[in-house]
Amino acid sequence: MIANLVQLAAEEEQNPLIPPGPELLIGTLAFAIVFFVFAKKLLPRINKTLEERHAQIEGGIEKAEALQTEAQSVLEQYKAQLAEARHEAARLRQEAQEQGASLIAEMRAEGQRQREEIIAAGHSQIEADRKAAAQALRQDVGLLATDLAGKLVGESLEDTARQSRTIDRFLDELEEKAEAAR
């Protein structure tokens, strides 16, 4: 029988691209069974998994966009706060400069006032010292003048009232001459 089949196959010219009828039928049935199993069992699972992944990806993209929007708003708030802080720092720096300038002006005014007080006190002290020196000088000149006058006249000029009037008159004349000379 095998020999008959071999001889039969040799006699028929067969196309290598077209399989024989029984093989074609068995291959088609096997393909239909595999296709049915895939369509009923595996394809829904594959579609379900693909949909889940698609939902996860879409959810991840939405979350990423939401996070990016939130990050952008936080960044804008940060920039606004930073600008406000810089503005506040500039304002505080300006206030400090103004306070420093006013403090310097106050200190200068206080220094000027103290200087004027010291100068006034010095002038009054000089004036008091000058008057005291003039009084002491008047007394010393008066005593010397009365001694000299007593020696010239030859008699003692010990009368205090007369001596005082003479000295005053003499010094007044000297002062008038000094003022006239100026």
Side-chain angles (χ1 to χ4, degrees), residues 61-74:
I61 289 173
E62 289 174 2
K63 285 180 184 177
E65 288 174 354
L67 288 175
Q68 186 175 8
T69 305
E70 183 180 343
Q72 187 67 27
S73 68
V74 168

Coordinates of all heavy atoms in Angstrom, one line a residue, residues 61-74:
I61 N -0.7 60.2 33.6 CA -0.5 61.5 32.8 C -1.3 62.6 33.5 O -0.8 63.7 33.6 CB -0.9 61.3 31.3 CG1 0.1 60.4 30.7 CG2 -1.0 62.6 30.6 CD1 -0.2 60.0 29.2
E62 N -2.6 62.3 33.9 CA -3.4 63.3 34.5 C -2.8 63.7 35.8 O -2.8 64.9 36.2 CB -4.8 62.7 34.7 CG -5.6 62.6 33.4 CD -7.0 62.0 33.6 OE1 -7.3 61.6 34.8 OE2 -7.7 61.8 32.6
K63 N -2.3 62.7 36.6 CA -1.7 63.0 37.9 C -0.4 63.9 37.6 O -0.2 64.9 38.4 CB -1.3 61.8 38.6 CG -2.4 61.0 39.3 CD -2.0 59.8 40.0 CE -3.1 59.0 40.6 NZ -2.7 57.8 41.2
A64 N 0.4 63.5 36.6 CA 1.6 64.3 36.3 C 1.2 65.7 35.9 O 1.9 66.7 36.3 CB 2.4 63.6 35.2
E65 N 0.2 65.8 35.1 CA -0.3 67.2 34.7 C -0.8 68.0 35.9 O -0.5 69.2 36.1 CB -1.3 67.1 33.7 CG -0.8 66.7 32.3 CD -2.0 66.5 31.3 OE1 -3.1 66.5 31.7 OE2 -1.6 66.2 30.1
A66 N -1.5 67.3 36.8 CA -2.0 68.0 38.0 C -0.9 68.4 38.9 O -0.8 69.5 39.4 CB -3.0 67.1 38.8
L67 N 0.1 67.5 39.1 CA 1.3 67.8 39.9 C 2.1 68.9 39.2 O 2.6 69.8 39.9 CB 2.2 66.6 40.1 CG 1.6 65.5 41.0 CD1 2.5 64.3 41.0 CD2 1.5 66.0 42.4
Q68 N 2.2 68.9 37.9 CA 3.0 70.0 37.2 C 2.2 71.3 37.4 O 2.9 72.3 37.7 CB 3.1 69.6 35.8 CG 4.0 70.6 35.0 CD 4.2 70.2 33.6 OE1 3.6 69.2 33.1 NE2 5.1 70.9 32.9
T69 N 0.9 71.3 37.3 CA 0.1 72.5 37.5 C 0.3 73.0 38.9 O 0.5 74.2 39.2 CB -1.3 72.3 37.2 OG1 -1.5 71.8 35.9 CG2 -2.1 73.6 37.3
E70 N 0.2 72.1 39.9 CA 0.4 72.5 41.3 C 1.8 73.0 41.5 O 2.0 74.0 42.2 CB 0.1 71.3 42.2 CG 0.2 71.6 43.7 CD 0.0 70.3 44.5 OE1 -0.6 69.4 44.0 OE2 0.3 70.4 45.7
A71 N 2.8 72.3 41.0 CA 4.2 72.8 41.1 C 4.4 74.2 40.5 O 5.1 75.0 41.1 CB 5.2 71.8 40.5
Q72 N 3.7 74.4 39.4 CA 3.8 75.7 38.7 C 3.2 76.8 39.6 O 3.7 77.9 39.8 CB 3.1 75.7 37.4 CG 3.3 77.0 36.6 CD 4.7 77.2 36.1 OE1 5.5 76.2 36.0 NE2 5.1 78.4 35.9
S73 N 2.0 76.5 40.2 CA 1.4 77.5 41.1 C 2.2 77.7 42.4 O 2.4 78.8 42.9 CB 0.0 77.0 41.5 OG 0.0 75.9 42.3
V74 N 2.8 76.6 42.9 CA 3.7 76.8 44.1 C 4.9 77.6 43.7 O 5.4 78.5 44.5 CB 4.1 75.4 44.6 CG1 5.3 75.5 45.6 CG2 2.9 74.7 45.3

